[in-house]
Amino acid sequence: KKQVRERWSAKQSLCSKELVRHWRMYILGWWAYFGIAKVNLKGLSAWTRRHVRKCFWQRWHSRKGRRRNLRMLGVNEKLIRRTHFHANAWKAARHPSMHTALNNETLRRYGIVTPDVLAVR
């Protein structure tokens, strides 16, 4: 979890593509090392995806930027209006608008994989 927090920190001066590239290098190396373990990774993977959503929420900076990005990612206006823009980032990452915008399939399409996806391969 420490590595996830460090690699998905919104304080980094990396663009989103660089964040994803660094993450992929780390997680693929991690999986090559720990992949032989018979461990249920669903909980860790869900926590990791929430942390990724938190990072994007923070990187969108302001209410205006968050609304714009949610709209660009296909969230309807009704759901955007119900979003709590003043909630802390960890709570916001769990909001239905963030799950709609950055659902598991969208995260995979952007190259963000988690241990449970790697276990299937």
Side-chain angles (χ1 to χ4, degrees):
K1 288 184 175 182
K2 180 182 177 209
Q3 286 293 318
V4 173
R5 286 185 186 106
E6 287 175 11
R7 293 185 186 283
W8 286 103
S9 171
K11 297 174 185 176
Q12 297 182 60
S13 62
L14 300 173
C15 71
S16 298
K17 287 183 181 182
E18 289 172 326
L19 276 174
V20 171
R21 188 173 58 78
H22 284 253
W23 171 252
R24 286 185 64 83
M25 286 176 14
Y26 169 73
I27 196 70
L28 293 173
W30 179 88
W31 185 251
Y33 186 74
F34 289 103
I36 57 174
K38 302 288 185 203
V39 181
N40 184 353
L41 300 169
K42 282 191 171 199
L44 177 62
S45 294
W47 182 88
T48 300
R49 286 188 298 271
R50 185 172 176 190
H51 204 80
V52 169
R53 290 181 185 109
K54 173 188 166 223
C55 177
F56 279 96
W57 180 261
Q58 290 173 324
R59 291 172 67 93
W60 292 341
H61 298 293
S62 65
R63 180 183 183 107
K64 183 179 177 181
R66 291 171 180 153
R67 290 180 72 88
R68 183 183 66 241
N69 282 289
L70 289 171
R71 221 176 277 117
M72 279 184 357
L73 288 166
V75 179
N76 66 42
E77 283 297 322
K78 186 176 180 181
L79 188 53
I80 291 174
R81 281 194 301 272
R82 290 191 357 222
T83 304
H84 304 288
F85 289 97
H86 299 293
N88 68 40
W90 188 245
K91 282 185 180 179
R94 201 174 115 201
H95 195 276
S97 63
M98 287 300 286
H99 279 273
T100 301
L102 296 172
N103 60 43
N104 297 353
E105 182 57 36
T106 301
L107 293 175
R108 277 193 292 277
R109 195 171 54 243
Y110 285 121
I112 302 167
V113 294
T114 53
D116 64 337
V117 173
L118 294 172
V120 175
R121 291 182 179 178

